[in-house]
Amino acid sequence: TILANHALKDKTVIAFYFSAHWCPPCRKFTPLLARAYAASRTKGQGGNVEVIFVSSDRTESDLQSYMKESHGDWLAIPFDDPVAQTLSAKFVVRGIPALKIVGIDGSEISADGREEVMSLGPAAFAQWEKLAPACIDVSTVKLLTDNPESVRKEAVDILVKLLSNVVRDPNNIKYRQVKLSNKKIEENLLPATGAFEILFSIGFEEDDDKLILPLAISISKVEKFLDAIQLLQL
């Protein structure tokens, strides 16, 4: 077993490969994918793309023999792990083989990676790498640590509540507004070093007496900042 954060270190794109040994089209496609993967291992040519095999094999021995016979040197979800079903449902996989390409932040890059590998070969990996979303810089969160503990705690608690509301109900305009005249915001958030910088880094914009988060700002970005801020509560 390999920890995901170690295995995916420096990777920017994940290709989830849904397949099984009992499936003839899978056995035909897997060697093509393995060759394209092997030929794309340098940075700029697709080396930042990692494949993760999501098996529909009937037994663990089938999975292991299938990987030894045909697969590339990539990762696999353990046999019978419920994560496999979760991924299948998330990507609405209705048939195999299927190759779903996503950024490391979960954003979709391609829903039909199989067709792209068949037509482009190793160049498909290079294409996905170029389409990878930019890394989200959450370094402004560290500015909160420059505050006295009581000030930091108040600011962190408010930011966590604000961002959690956005993540829970992303299309609710009410949660995408921060009223600067609100007493709690005015007294406990804005005086904190880094508070404004964090909100602007997330994408909030000034609008008269309030800050507004445009709908175009991705929820994955909000989640990244929320995760980083919540670490300060530990």
Side-chain angles (χ1 to χ4, degrees):
T1 302
I2 302 174
L3 292 176
N5 59 353
H6 175 73
L8 298 175
K9 187 175 183 291
D10 299 326
K11 302 299 181 184
T12 58
V13 178
I14 302 173
F16 288 105
Y17 181 40
F18 298 84
S19 181
H21 184 263
W22 53 260
C23 160
C26 297
R27 292 200 301 272
K28 183 177 180 181
F29 175 68
T30 300
L32 297 177
L33 179 60
R35 286 195 292 272
Y37 176 84
S40 66
R41 292 303 82 202
T42 56
K43 187 176 180 180
Q45 300 300 314
N48 284 344
V49 181
E50 187 54 74
V51 173
I52 297 180
F53 173 40
V54 186
S55 171
S56 293
D57 285 299
R58 297 184 176 112
T59 67
E60 186 168 8
S61 61
D62 284 348
L63 182 156
Q64 296 294 343
S65 62
Y66 184 30
M67 289 200 74
K68 289 177 183 176
E69 290 170 13
S70 310
H71 284 244
D73 184 22
W74 52 58
L75 307 168
I77 302 295
F79 179 75
D80 220 19
D81 191 309
V83 169
Q85 287 298 322
T86 300
L87 289 169
S88 182
K90 175 181 173 61
F91 293 110
V92 196
V93 175
R94 295 192 172 93
I96 56 175
L99 189 62
K100 307 295 183 177
I101 318 301
V102 299
I104 203 71
D105 64 350
S107 58
E108 183 179 284
I109 292 176
S110 174
D112 196 2
R114 177 194 178 193
E115 182 60 37
E116 290 166 6
V117 169
M118 292 177 70
S119 60
L120 299 173
F125 282 81
Q127 176 175 280
W128 301 330
E129 185 174 281
K130 289 174 184 174
L131 293 172
C135 292
I136 298 171
D137 180 6
V138 297
S139 60
T140 50
V141 172
K142 294 179 182 177
L143 294 173
L144 290 173
T145 62
D146 294 336
N147 293 285
E149 184 178 353
S150 59
V151 175
R152 183 184 73 244
K153 185 180 184 306
E154 290 281 1
V156 165
D157 289 348
I158 293 172
L159 286 168
V160 166
K161 184 175 181 180
L162 288 172
L163 300 184
S164 295
N165 284 338
V166 175
V167 170
R168 186 176 66 254
D169 193 357
N171 295 318
N172 191 327
I173 300 300
K174 178 179 73 173
Y175 292 143
R176 288 177 170 264
Q177 297 183 10
V178 178
K179 293 182 179 179
L180 302 179
S181 58
N182 178 284
K183 187 177 180 181
K184 194 166 187 178
I185 297 295
E186 192 174 23
E187 294 181 358
N188 299 327
L189 179 63
L190 300 186
T193 299
F196 255 117
E197 289 85 348
I198 289 169
L199 291 171
F200 288 138
S201 295
I202 293 170
F204 280 88
E205 300 175 353
E206 286 188 87
D207 183 16
D208 294 329
D209 64 339
K210 58 184 174 292
L211 300 181
I212 294 179
L213 184 66
L215 288 170
I217 301 299
S218 72
I219 292 303
S220 61
K221 184 176 185 181
V222 178
E223 288 174 330
K224 285 282 187 183
F225 274 89
L226 177 58
D227 289 344
I229 294 167
Q230 285 177 320
L231 289 175
L232 297 180
Q233 291 181 314
L234 301 178

